[in-house]
Amino acid sequence: MKIQRFMGDFDLSGKELTITNRELVNQLKNVFRLKAGNIIFLADGKLKEAEAEIAKIFASQIELKILSVKENENESPVYGVLYASILKKQNFELVVQKAVEAGIKEITPIIAARTIKTGISQERLKTIIKEAAEQSERGILPKLNLPLNFKEALEIAKSNDANFIFDQIGLLAAKDIKEKSGNKIGIFIGPEGGWTEEELNLAKENGCKIANLGKLVLRAETAAIVASFLAEN
């Protein structure tokens, strides 16, 4: 049976741990129906993870014995930042989920000239990020930033070692984006209607390299997922 994995702000420094978070207590007791003696994995979102045994279950808390603690070794050394245009609700949620599973460390929703939907549910996306990080056995909890317009995102991205904006006109192949790129890589994915010529020129003026994902025309969410994987793996 698969051992369930949970990520949270856990203090894994001791031999015992008490969980009082109501949502997690309910999840352990009523969703997974775990009992005393069952083993679970806990990750603190900062690379530490522990194997723990459920010792006692109470109405509002669960007591655990920490059996072992180790460093998570699943994270790529690349710090990938995804700057993705906001899409329709389900499509953007898919982007966030799969980007986390692909290894992206940070996600910044952006509003471009052709972005149609401009609102997001920050709390909903944070839940998706946490669940995706647990499912894919990540060692860190990826960061979700507040939405920025395209110009703001380009300015913030200057702190990265290299930035790439994806468009069909790009001459750089996506598989080559990590060559001489440094440790922190920013990748920009546009909206359903693509980037405007003005945006591409502005990106180049701000040091972005234009890359392509091949000859096929990809949906925005597909492009974001593929580019995220290529940046981190």
Side-chain angles (χ1 to χ4, degrees):
M1 184 178 75
K2 180 182 178 180
I3 299 178
Q4 298 299 329
R5 184 183 184 86
F6 304 92
M7 184 173 282
D9 187 21
F10 302 120
D11 180 359
L12 303 178
S13 61
K15 296 294 184 181
E16 298 176 344
L17 177 67
T18 299
I19 294 175
T20 57
N21 179 279
R22 291 174 59 187
E23 184 178 342
L24 183 52
V25 169
N26 178 67
Q27 197 175 13
L28 290 168
K29 286 174 54 180
N30 302 319
V31 178
F32 294 107
R33 300 185 181 278
L34 298 177
K35 308 292 184 184
N38 287 152
I39 304 296
I40 61 174
F41 285 125
L42 301 176
D44 68 359
K46 301 170 185 175
L47 290 179
K48 277 196 171 59
E49 56 187 25
E51 183 179 5
E53 179 184 347
I54 297 177
K56 296 179 181 179
I57 298 177
F58 300 98
S60 58
Q61 66 182 47
I62 294 178
E63 294 181 359
L64 303 168
K65 289 191 293 185
I66 303 297
L67 304 179
S68 63
V69 179
K70 66 176 183 177
E71 196 92 350
N72 182 286
E73 298 179 349
N74 297 338
E75 294 293 334
S76 162
V78 174
Y79 190 99
V81 185
L82 173 63
Y83 302 88
S85 173
I86 299 172
L87 307 173
K88 295 174 184 177
K89 181 182 177 182
Q90 293 175 329
N91 293 353
F92 196 68
E93 289 180 355
L94 179 67
V95 166
V96 169
Q97 180 189 58
K98 299 308 177 185
V100 171
E101 291 178 8
I104 283 292
K105 310 293 194 300
E106 191 173 329
I107 299 172
T108 300
I110 61 173
I111 300 170
R114 292 173 177 159
T115 300
I116 298 173
K117 180 177 172 57
T118 58
I120 61 171
S121 171
Q122 201 83 0
E123 290 308 309
R124 167 70 177 157
L125 291 178
K126 285 182 179 179
T127 297
I128 290 172
I129 287 173
K130 179 176 176 293
E131 292 175 349
E134 291 172 342
Q135 189 278 328
S136 53
E137 300 187 2
R138 295 285 303 266
I140 66 168
L141 184 64
K143 181 182 178 183
L144 176 67
N145 296 318
L146 293 172
L148 298 174
N149 65 46
F150 183 60
K151 289 182 180 180
E152 291 171 331
L154 286 175
E155 189 63 33
I156 294 294
K158 288 180 180 178
S159 64
N160 300 334
D161 295 320
N163 291 297
F164 300 87
I165 186 167
F166 286 87
D167 189 87
Q168 280 191 300
I169 70 166
L171 299 178
L172 179 69
K175 64 182 178 64
D176 298 324
I177 65 174
K178 286 197 290 185
E179 291 186 6
K180 301 178 181 179
S181 295
N183 183 59
K184 191 173 183 181
I185 299 176
I187 54 176
F188 284 78
I189 302 293
E192 288 93 338
W195 302 109
T196 65
E197 184 177 350
E198 181 184 29
E199 286 173 328
L200 290 172
N201 289 333
L202 185 61
K204 286 191 288 185
E205 290 170 7
N206 281 271
C208 290
K209 298 175 183 177
I210 303 179
N212 72 77
L213 288 168
K215 296 180 180 179
L216 299 179
V217 179
L218 303 179
R219 295 176 65 94
E221 59 268 31
T222 306
I225 296 165
V226 172
S228 295
F229 180 83
L230 291 170
E232 285 285 352
N233 296 278

